[in-house]
Amino acid sequence: MQARTEPIRVMLIDCRPLVLMGLHDLINAKKPRMEVCAQATTYTRALDLADQLRPDVMFFSFFPDALDPLEVITGLTRSAETKVLVLKGLYEAVPVAQAIEAGARGIVLAEDPTESIIRAIIKVHRRDIGLDRAWAGGLSGYAASGHIPLKCNLEQAKQAQLTLRERELICAIVGDPSAKYMSIAGRLGISEHTVHNHLSNIYHKLNLINRIDLLMYALKHGLTNNDEPPESSWVELD
């Protein structure tokens, strides 16, 4: 008989009733795999509930509040068992790198398909803490130090699967993160449909979820030109 597993307990942090309602219905529709355990419309309430309930994953939105959102993320992630996923709109100004540095484990786009959002919750919840810290470490801190912690063999093996065209597409996205797919397609001389196909392949090869995930990965792992990253930029972890 297969052992029962506890549902992933998700807490929602947002000041918009419609967003809370949509996420609540989406997540609870996946019971018993996951469920919403709490909702907070202020950061003070979020800190109190997180301390009381110890949720597994927290959906975190940036909004006007008396508390600084980056400091709140730091406070929420003091427990290694609790993981924060930042929810942002594609054109919403959110300090992504600083949020990751503060302790967030990933970014989810509000425009993503619902199944992608569900996969993001599962992916972040399952992630080993050591590997997760390597994946979602502070981008600005690593850029300043030149130190990129990752498992060399694993990441090199994944990146070796990328074709030259796929690397060109990654560079185009890094060069202009907010560019529309039609614009990127014109720049590379390919169709918009081909751009979507290449992106799907890239996500699969690198085990990523969406465009923001790809942008963070590319910046951290040096996929910002069409050449292989220099040997000295890779650090082996025991």
Short mmCIF file of all heavy atoms in Angstrom, two decimals, residues 168-196:
data_model
loop_
_atom_site.label_atom_id
_atom_site.label_comp_id
_atom_site.label_asym_id
_atom_site.label_seq_id
_atom_site.Cartn_x
_atom_site.Cartn_y
_atom_site.Cartn_z
N GLU A 168 21.87 31.62 -28.98
CA GLU A 168 21.60 32.94 -29.54
C GLU A 168 20.29 33.51 -28.99
O GLU A 168 20.19 34.71 -28.71
CB GLU A 168 21.55 32.86 -31.06
CG GLU A 168 22.90 32.62 -31.71
CD GLU A 168 22.79 32.40 -33.21
OE1 GLU A 168 21.66 32.20 -33.70
OE2 GLU A 168 23.83 32.43 -33.88
N LEU A 169 19.31 32.65 -28.85
CA LEU A 169 18.02 33.08 -28.33
C LEU A 169 18.15 33.51 -26.87
O LEU A 169 17.58 34.52 -26.45
CB LEU A 169 17.00 31.95 -28.46
CG LEU A 169 15.59 32.21 -27.90
CD1 LEU A 169 14.99 33.47 -28.52
CD2 LEU A 169 14.69 31.01 -28.16
N ILE A 170 18.91 32.75 -26.09
CA ILE A 170 19.15 33.12 -24.69
C ILE A 170 19.81 34.49 -24.60
O ILE A 170 19.42 35.35 -23.80
CB ILE A 170 20.01 32.06 -23.98
CG1 ILE A 170 19.22 30.75 -23.84
CG2 ILE A 170 20.46 32.55 -22.60
CD1 ILE A 170 20.04 29.58 -23.33
N CYS A 171 20.81 34.73 -25.47
CA CYS A 171 21.51 36.02 -25.48
C CYS A 171 20.55 37.16 -25.83
O CYS A 171 20.62 38.26 -25.27
CB CYS A 171 22.66 35.99 -26.47
SG CYS A 171 24.03 34.93 -25.97
N ALA A 172 19.64 36.90 -26.75
CA ALA A 172 18.67 37.92 -27.15
C ALA A 172 17.75 38.27 -25.99
O ALA A 172 17.41 39.45 -25.79
CB ALA A 172 17.86 37.44 -28.36
N ILE A 173 17.34 37.28 -25.23
CA ILE A 173 16.46 37.51 -24.08
C ILE A 173 17.20 38.25 -22.98
O ILE A 173 16.66 39.18 -22.36
CB ILE A 173 15.89 36.17 -23.56
CG1 ILE A 173 14.88 35.61 -24.57
CG2 ILE A 173 15.25 36.33 -22.19
CD1 ILE A 173 14.36 34.24 -24.23
N VAL A 174 18.45 37.86 -22.72
CA VAL A 174 19.25 38.56 -21.70
C VAL A 174 19.49 40.00 -22.12
O VAL A 174 19.45 40.93 -21.29
CB VAL A 174 20.58 37.82 -21.47
CG1 VAL A 174 21.50 38.65 -20.56
CG2 VAL A 174 20.35 36.44 -20.86
N GLY A 175 19.73 40.22 -23.41
CA GLY A 175 20.00 41.56 -23.90
C GLY A 175 18.80 42.50 -23.79
O GLY A 175 18.96 43.71 -23.61
N ASP A 176 17.59 41.95 -23.89
CA ASP A 176 16.38 42.77 -23.79
C ASP A 176 15.28 41.92 -23.14
O ASP A 176 14.42 41.35 -23.83
CB ASP A 176 15.96 43.24 -25.18
CG ASP A 176 14.82 44.26 -25.13
OD1 ASP A 176 14.33 44.53 -24.02
OD2 ASP A 176 14.43 44.75 -26.20
N PRO A 177 15.29 41.82 -21.79
CA PRO A 177 14.37 40.91 -21.09
C PRO A 177 12.90 41.18 -21.34
O PRO A 177 12.08 40.28 -21.23
CB PRO A 177 14.73 41.14 -19.61
CG PRO A 177 16.12 41.67 -19.63
CD PRO A 177 16.22 42.49 -20.87
N SER A 178 12.54 42.42 -21.68
CA SER A 178 11.12 42.74 -21.86
C SER A 178 10.67 42.69 -23.32
O SER A 178 9.52 42.99 -23.64
CB SER A 178 10.82 44.13 -21.30
OG SER A 178 11.55 45.12 -21.99
N ALA A 179 11.59 42.29 -24.22
CA ALA A 179 11.26 42.26 -25.65
C ALA A 179 10.16 41.24 -25.93
O ALA A 179 10.13 40.16 -25.34
CB ALA A 179 12.50 41.93 -26.47
N LYS A 180 9.26 41.58 -26.84
CA LYS A 180 8.21 40.64 -27.24
C LYS A 180 8.82 39.57 -28.16
O LYS A 180 9.83 39.79 -28.81
CB LYS A 180 7.09 41.38 -27.96
CG LYS A 180 6.35 42.39 -27.07
CD LYS A 180 5.19 43.00 -27.80
CE LYS A 180 4.47 44.01 -26.92
NZ LYS A 180 3.89 43.39 -25.71
N TYR A 181 8.17 38.42 -28.20
CA TYR A 181 8.69 37.31 -28.99
C TYR A 181 8.78 37.67 -30.48
O TYR A 181 9.69 37.23 -31.17
CB TYR A 181 7.82 36.07 -28.79
CG TYR A 181 7.90 35.48 -27.41
CD1 TYR A 181 6.75 35.20 -26.68
CD2 TYR A 181 9.14 35.21 -26.81
CE1 TYR A 181 6.82 34.68 -25.39
CE2 TYR A 181 9.22 34.67 -25.54
CZ TYR A 181 8.05 34.41 -24.83
OH TYR A 181 8.13 33.89 -23.57
N MET A 182 7.83 38.47 -30.95
CA MET A 182 7.87 38.87 -32.35
C MET A 182 9.13 39.68 -32.66
O MET A 182 9.76 39.51 -33.70
CB MET A 182 6.62 39.70 -32.69
CG MET A 182 6.51 40.09 -34.16
SD MET A 182 5.01 41.05 -34.50
CE MET A 182 3.75 39.82 -34.07
N SER A 183 9.51 40.55 -31.72
CA SER A 183 10.71 41.35 -31.89
C SER A 183 11.97 40.48 -31.89
O SER A 183 12.88 40.66 -32.70
CB SER A 183 10.80 42.40 -30.78
OG SER A 183 12.02 43.09 -30.84
N ILE A 184 12.01 39.52 -30.97
CA ILE A 184 13.16 38.61 -30.90
C ILE A 184 13.25 37.78 -32.18
O ILE A 184 14.34 37.57 -32.72
CB ILE A 184 13.03 37.68 -29.67
CG1 ILE A 184 13.14 38.51 -28.39
CG2 ILE A 184 14.10 36.60 -29.69
CD1 ILE A 184 12.87 37.72 -27.12
N ALA A 185 12.11 37.31 -32.67
CA ALA A 185 12.08 36.52 -33.90
C ALA A 185 12.65 37.31 -35.07
O ALA A 185 13.47 36.81 -35.86
CB ALA A 185 10.66 36.06 -34.20
N GLY A 186 12.23 38.60 -35.20
CA GLY A 186 12.74 39.43 -36.28
C GLY A 186 14.23 39.65 -36.17
O GLY A 186 14.95 39.66 -37.19
N ARG A 187 14.72 39.82 -34.96
CA ARG A 187 16.14 40.05 -34.75
C ARG A 187 16.98 38.83 -35.14
O ARG A 187 18.08 38.95 -35.66
CB ARG A 187 16.40 40.39 -33.28
CG ARG A 187 17.70 41.14 -33.01
CD ARG A 187 17.85 41.45 -31.55
NE ARG A 187 16.60 41.97 -30.98
CZ ARG A 187 16.28 41.87 -29.69
NH1 ARG A 187 17.10 41.26 -28.87
NH2 ARG A 187 15.15 42.36 -29.26
N LEU A 188 16.44 37.63 -34.89
CA LEU A 188 17.17 36.40 -35.20
C LEU A 188 16.87 35.86 -36.59
O LEU A 188 17.47 34.86 -37.01
CB LEU A 188 16.86 35.33 -34.14
CG LEU A 188 17.28 35.64 -32.70
CD1 LEU A 188 16.89 34.50 -31.77
CD2 LEU A 188 18.78 35.90 -32.61
N GLY A 189 15.90 36.47 -37.29
CA GLY A 189 15.57 36.01 -38.62
C GLY A 189 14.82 34.70 -38.65
O GLY A 189 14.98 33.89 -39.56
N ILE A 190 14.00 34.46 -37.61
CA ILE A 190 13.21 33.24 -37.54
C ILE A 190 11.77 33.62 -37.24
O ILE A 190 11.46 34.77 -36.95
CB ILE A 190 13.73 32.26 -36.45
CG1 ILE A 190 13.76 32.96 -35.07
CG2 ILE A 190 15.12 31.75 -36.82
CD1 ILE A 190 14.27 32.08 -33.94
N SER A 191 10.85 32.65 -37.29
CA SER A 191 9.44 32.93 -37.03
C SER A 191 9.18 32.95 -35.53
O SER A 191 9.95 32.38 -34.73
CB SER A 191 8.56 31.87 -37.69
OG SER A 191 8.70 30.62 -37.04
N GLU A 192 8.08 33.59 -35.17
CA GLU A 192 7.70 33.62 -33.75
C GLU A 192 7.40 32.21 -33.25
O GLU A 192 7.71 31.86 -32.10
CB GLU A 192 6.48 34.52 -33.57
CG GLU A 192 6.13 34.78 -32.11
CD GLU A 192 5.00 35.77 -31.97
OE1 GLU A 192 4.56 36.35 -32.99
OE2 GLU A 192 4.53 35.97 -30.82
N HIS A 193 6.83 31.39 -34.10
CA HIS A 193 6.55 29.99 -33.74
C HIS A 193 7.86 29.25 -33.41
O HIS A 193 7.92 28.48 -32.45
CB HIS A 193 5.83 29.29 -34.89
CG HIS A 193 5.56 27.83 -34.65
ND1 HIS A 193 4.60 27.39 -33.75
CD2 HIS A 193 6.13 26.71 -35.17
CE1 HIS A 193 4.59 26.07 -33.73
NE2 HIS A 193 5.51 25.64 -34.58
N THR A 194 8.91 29.52 -34.21
CA THR A 194 10.19 28.87 -33.97
C THR A 194 10.80 29.35 -32.65
O THR A 194 11.42 28.56 -31.92
CB THR A 194 11.18 29.17 -35.13
OG1 THR A 194 10.60 28.68 -36.34
CG2 THR A 194 12.52 28.49 -34.90
N VAL A 195 10.60 30.62 -32.31
CA VAL A 195 11.08 31.13 -31.02
C VAL A 195 10.44 30.35 -29.88
O VAL A 195 11.11 29.91 -28.94
CB VAL A 195 10.76 32.64 -30.87
CG1 VAL A 195 10.99 33.10 -29.43
CG2 VAL A 195 11.63 33.45 -31.81
N HIS A 196 9.12 30.14 -29.96
CA HIS A 196 8.42 29.39 -28.91
C HIS A 196 8.94 27.95 -28.83
O HIS A 196 9.10 27.40 -27.73
CB HIS A 196 6.92 29.41 -29.17
CG HIS A 196 6.26 30.70 -28.81
ND1 HIS A 196 5.96 31.08 -27.53
CD2 HIS A 196 5.87 31.76 -29.59
CE1 HIS A 196 5.40 32.27 -27.51
NE2 HIS A 196 5.33 32.71 -28.75
#
